[in-house]
Amino acid sequence: MKKRALILAMITFIAAATSEPSINMVRAEETQTEENTGLTSELPIKTLTQSVIDENPYMAASDSNIHHDCYNTDSTDEVLPVGIYSEINVSYEKTNANASPAIFFDSYGHAVVPLLGGLAIRDINAEETQTLGYFSPKQHDNGEYLIQSSYSFVDESNRLVCPTNNNHVLMLKATDEDGNVLPEFEKVLDIDIKAAAEAALGKTLDQNLLAVVFDYEGNLWFATGGFRIYPDRKQQGAMGYISRTAIDAILNGEETDLSDAVFVYELAPGEGAENGIAASKDGAVILTNQNCYLLQADNGVKKIWETPYESAGAKESKEGDETTGGGLAWGSGCSPSLTKDLVMFTDNQETVNLLALDMKTGEVVANLPVIDELPEGSQVAVENSAIVYDNGAGTVSTIVCNWFGAGSANLGKEDSDSSIQSYTNIYDENWLKQGNKMITPGVERVDTIKTEDGYEMKSIWCRSDLSDTSMMKLSTATGYIYGYVQNLETGMWQYIILDFETGETVFSMDVASKPMYNNMAIGMYAGNSGNSLYCPTGYLELLRLQDRFVYLPEMPYRKVDLDQAMRNVLSQEKFAADGGLGDVEGWLNTITIENVHPNTTVAIRMKGISGETGSLKLYAYGTDGTLKEVPAEKWHIQTEDGETPDTLSEDVLYEVHMTVEDGGDFDLSETEKEIKISAVLGI
């Protein structure tokens, strides 16, 4: 058994399970109040170094897929809520059967979600979710097929790239050149990948198309498979790519011979992908039920390495178990997650191990058992991709979550098509009805550390009390991990925030105790507002956790629209280039307020700022796009009690009060009686 830092985590669990919240935890009923009568948490800002990732030039610079990026890191450098008078707001679904389960974003900030078997850009902040533009196979293509949203993504030109359940890949133009959403998306590419691959192989494929991704040269890689591929059933699968030259030719309206453009690697019968594909500058990383591959495009599929791993096979509940479901995969349940130097994933042995492979050679350079201190007989299946954070200084942190019990037992049937990504096909019925008591707990952080002799792994913390299926999200801007769980003592579904350093639950906010408020066992979604953490539910509500970090002190009855309030990291380089002097302090706050008076004071609540008050300057963007210092008479900083401190502490919540003139130097809105400010502190 491994020794772990569990004491602090268990203290937190005990506090959360009692009727009295711990001092740094916030309950929903305490925060859904007027600005100055609620409570704010005592979360300090614990900024981490931004993730080290080479941006893919063929994918949007945004949360372009459900795992955030083509490394599949599930971490973001964007700001997320930090307990500043936090509240939960809702967008109600009136078209689909459930709230939007998969969400990703284009570079304009538009949310891309499933709709009517296809994809749509929708306003997911509206009280009722509004469709701005969409593509429905049945309505626009006379097709009976469905788009597989889980492994769709946004490319560099804001086109949507989508695998379908009839083995095609589509590219959809969703916006015009100015970023305006097209009411009906234009299908600009449609390739039957399975037919092209079968023609190249000269044999029939028994598996369906599962996932696609662009590599760093713009080639579109694909893999066949499903969420459960049994080797003994000998299904024929494949993986390969469509050349960028062919894709560009098709987009230019040219006739293209796919026989010269589709390259295929034949898998052994019974081998297939069970999750998504990752890509880095080194190539495409595909994890099957038996092996991990690094592949490159070289006028054919060039296998750089192939690394086998062990699996105990598909895991199911046993007679007498409290759970009734199981896992999703026969092999690893992870989509592979990357750093520049490593490939990270879990195997699927009886005791699950985290593996780190050298990106260049495929050698297993480190491994460690994970979530292995549960009661005897407990099963572990890591089915959601691990969070992977590379700090650039030799340490890669990985957070893995047990998922066992949420998967449908029907996936094991011979006639099951596990490539179909539908709600009822994937999930255990009893988990949907009874919640997280039907899954096995376990969340662990493991660090992979580069040493003079290679790599070593060590457990940093483990939560054997926490049952999570939500594909947690790490924010480097705040230093916290965000999730959605059910308190098994109260039955209450909750947003939670974990301290990245300790694993301690430092914040929770209640949502509902009804069973259908599960989060559908998929992701938490950040976007780029710096103040919204989206969580779908199995009911009709898409939740978003938000901080009320801005208010109008002269009009306390008025609530600022939080969907018009953004917080973003402004780099020192950008700050200086735009005209700021000294060092940037805190985050850039961009706020739009309607129906304002000629002069309106806006109060911005800030954490994580320090220094001498007298040395602080407030900068705001002007209409020319440059930062200008706000005159001293137009702003001041104070505590919540109205006191003016001489020295600022990072652990204290402060308020910056700025008076803005409608149409003045710092009003970025051209609309009368509306102001938009974008301000940041400097020191």
Side-chain angles (χ1 to χ4, degrees):
M1 301 287 283
K2 294 176 289 178
K3 295 182 179 179
R4 310 200 196 272
L6 284 172
I7 296 176
L8 188 56
M10 290 305 296
I11 291 173
T12 303
F13 170 68
I14 293 169
T18 63
S19 59
E20 294 296 326
S22 60
I23 191 169
N24 58 353
M25 297 177 71
V26 181
R27 298 287 184 194
E29 63 267 21
E30 296 171 333
T31 56
Q32 303 280 22
T33 57
E34 296 299 326
E35 286 84 353
N36 294 316
T37 59
L39 296 177
T40 186
S41 75
E42 298 176 0
L43 295 185
I45 307 303
K46 297 185 174 183
T47 305
L48 304 171
T49 304
Q50 290 195 346
S51 302
V52 179
I53 293 176
D54 291 319
E55 287 193 8
N56 188 327
Y58 291 93
M59 294 182 69
S62 61
D63 274 26
S64 58
N65 65 24
I66 63 169
H67 294 305
H68 182 67
D69 49 50
C70 66
Y71 277 29
N72 293 336
T73 64
D74 284 299
S75 64
T76 179
D77 294 326
E78 297 288 350
V79 180
L80 288 176
V82 286
I84 299 177
Y85 296 95
S86 297
E87 59 190 49
I88 295 171
N89 294 300
V90 176
S91 186
Y92 293 95
E93 179 58 60
K94 294 298 181 71
T95 304
N96 287 324
N98 303 95
S100 298
I103 305 172
F104 43 100
F105 298 85
D106 68 13
S107 60
Y108 299 109
H110 299 130
V112 183
V113 301
L115 180 73
L116 300 174
L119 287 177
I121 288 178
R122 308 184 79 194
D123 181 355
I124 58 175
N125 293 337
E127 184 174 342
E128 293 183 9
T129 306
Q130 300 294 316
T131 300
L132 306 179
Y134 74 113
F135 176 87
S136 168
K138 189 171 185 178
Q139 294 187 22
H140 298 134
D141 212 13
N142 294 317
E144 296 298 325
Y145 66 90
L146 303 174
I147 286 176
Q148 307 276 44
S149 57
S150 295
Y151 298 125
S152 298
F153 63 89
V154 186
D155 77 0
E156 85 290 351
S157 298
N158 290 297
R159 294 175 296 237
L160 312 183
V161 183
C162 333
T164 72
N165 70 342
N166 69 337
N167 300 297
H168 288 231
V169 62
L170 310 181
M171 290 181 68
L172 306 174
K173 182 180 179 182
T175 60
D176 64 18
E177 288 68 22
D178 297 320
N180 301 306
V181 179
L182 302 178
E184 294 187 1
F185 300 164
E186 179 185 352
K187 186 170 66 171
V188 295
L189 179 145
D190 184 344
I191 295 176
D192 186 337
I193 287 187
K194 187 174 182 179
E198 288 177 335
L201 283 177
K203 61 174 59 177
T204 299
L205 294 177
D206 303 311
Q207 299 171 13
N208 289 321
L209 174 66
L210 181 66
V212 293
V213 75
F214 276 138
D215 68 15
Y216 281 60
E217 296 175 344
N219 302 299
L220 184 66
W221 287 86
F222 61 87
T224 67
F227 286 112
R228 190 176 291 184
I229 301 297
Y230 288 83
D232 59 3
R233 295 181 186 172
K234 303 296 182 182
Q235 293 177 322
Q236 182 63 56
M239 49 194 183
Y241 71 93
I242 305 169
S243 72
R244 186 70 210 184
T245 302
I247 292 172
D248 287 339
I250 294 171
L251 293 175
N252 290 331
E254 301 172 14
E255 290 290 330
T256 305
D257 184 357
L258 291 179
S259 65
D260 297 327
V262 176
F263 301 93
V264 183
Y265 182 93
E266 180 180 352
L267 290 168
E271 185 177 6
E274 295 181 302
N275 287 279
I277 309 173
S280 75
K281 286 185 174 180
D282 287 286
V285 177
I286 299 179
L287 185 64
T288 72
N289 56 344
Q290 296 174 303
N291 298 286
C292 188
Y293 297 86
L294 175 65
L295 307 173
Q296 293 177 357
D298 186 14
N299 200 33
V301 177
K302 181 179 181 181
K303 183 176 72 174
I304 305 303
W305 49 256
E306 172 186 350
T307 301
Y309 68 94
E310 298 297 323
S311 173
K315 294 179 179 177
E316 305 283 12
S317 293
K318 300 179 178 65
E319 186 176 353
D321 287 353
E322 294 181 1
T323 59
T324 57
L328 282 184
W330 189 94
S332 172
C334 287
S335 295
S337 300
L338 311 183
T339 73
K340 294 175 71 173
D341 300 315
L342 299 173
V343 178
M344 313 293 297
F345 62 93
T346 53
D347 63 19
N348 195 29
Q349 298 188 66
E350 293 296 345
T351 299
V352 173
N353 297 277
L354 177 66
L355 306 178
L357 277 58
D358 184 286
M359 179 67 77
K360 303 294 185 185
T361 66
E363 176 190 1
V364 178
V365 295
N367 65 89
L368 190 74
V370 291
I371 315 177
D372 62 337
E373 291 189 347
L374 300 175
E376 185 176 353
S378 300
Q379 296 198 66
V380 175
V382 178
E383 299 289 353
N384 281 335
S385 289
I387 293 174
V388 170
Y389 165 62
D390 181 0
N391 69 2
T395 298
V396 173
S397 299
T398 307
I399 292 90
V400 294
C401 298
N402 194 6
W403 200 89
F404 180 84
S408 172
N410 290 328
L411 289 171
K413 295 181 178 179
E414 285 280 356
D415 60 350
S416 171
D417 182 358
S418 61
S419 68
I420 298 175
Q421 299 167 31
S422 68
Y423 198 47
T424 54
N425 191 52
I426 295 173
Y427 302 130
D428 174 54
E429 181 179 3
N430 288 313
W431 173 71
L432 296 175
K433 292 179 178 178
Q434 300 183 53
N436 278 7
K437 70 178 183 180
M438 302 304 295
I439 64 172
T440 310
V443 179
E444 183 168 7
R445 172 184 161 188
V446 173
D447 280 5
T448 305
I449 304 161
K450 191 171 186 178
T451 69
E452 292 182 356
D453 299 322
Y455 291 91
E456 65 178 20
M457 276 187 181
K458 65 178 181 179
S459 176
I460 304 302
W461 49 260
C462 184
R463 294 289 300 271
S464 297
D465 60 291
L466 201 61
S467 296
D468 175 85
T469 58
S470 65
M471 243 168 22
M472 291 181 167
K473 182 78 73 174
L474 169 67
S475 166
T476 63
T478 67
Y480 292 102
I481 300 166
Y482 296 78
Y484 184 81
V485 301
Q486 188 178 31
N487 184 319
L488 298 184
E489 296 291 324
T490 65
M492 191 68 69
W493 294 93
Q494 301 173 322
Y495 274 100
I496 61 167
I497 300 177
L498 304 183
D499 189 304
F500 173 74
E501 296 174 353
T502 67
E504 176 189 10
T505 301
V506 292
F507 173 99
S508 70
M509 180 167 282
D510 289 346
V511 174
S513 60
K514 300 294 185 182
M516 292 301 288
Y517 280 88
N518 66 75
N519 85 308
M520 306 173 76
I522 49 177
M524 314 290 292
Y525 306 104
N528 63 358
S529 74
N531 192 34
S532 291
L533 180 64
Y534 298 94
C535 180
T537 68
Y539 199 56
L540 298 174
E541 298 176 28
L542 176 65
L543 311 176
R544 61 189 186 279
L545 179 69
Q546 297 177 300
D547 284 346
R548 188 156 289 282
F549 72 91
V550 57
Y551 73 99
L552 304 177
E554 300 161 325
M555 296 174 280
Y557 77 97
R558 291 266 308 272
K559 279 197 172 184
V560 175
D561 183 358
L562 295 183
D563 300 321
Q564 299 295 316
M566 300 177 66
R567 298 174 299 192
N568 300 104
V569 175
L570 185 66
S571 69
Q572 181 63 37
E573 293 76 15
K574 177 70 172 170
F575 176 73
D578 289 350
L581 301 178
D583 296 324
V584 64
E585 183 71 14
W587 298 322
L588 176 68
N589 299 270
T590 304
I591 300 152
T592 300
I593 301 170
E594 298 175 331
N595 192 25
V596 297
H597 292 261
N599 291 283
T600 297
T601 298
V602 179
I604 307 170
R605 292 167 169 143
M606 298 183 181
K607 286 183 176 182
I609 55 177
S610 61
E612 300 298 320
T613 305
S615 63
L616 283 177
K617 296 179 180 180
L618 183 67
Y619 291 89
Y621 278 98
T623 54
D624 63 355
T626 64
L627 286 169
K628 298 179 176 61
E629 185 178 348
V630 179
E633 65 272 15
K634 295 288 187 181
W635 78 281
H636 71 274
I637 190 167
Q638 65 178 55
T639 65
E640 290 192 277
D641 296 329
E643 299 179 357
T644 303
D646 294 326
T647 304
L648 304 179
S649 170
E650 290 186 346
D651 297 337
V652 176
L653 182 65
Y654 296 103
E655 296 180 356
V656 169
H657 289 231
M658 177 181 174
T659 301
V660 185
E661 180 182 353
D662 186 18
D665 292 341
F666 301 111
D667 179 13
L668 303 180
S669 173
E670 297 179 355
T671 303
E672 187 178 0
K673 297 183 180 179
E674 176 183 274
I675 60 171
K676 180 179 181 180
I677 60 173
S678 190
V680 64
L681 287 172
I683 192 167

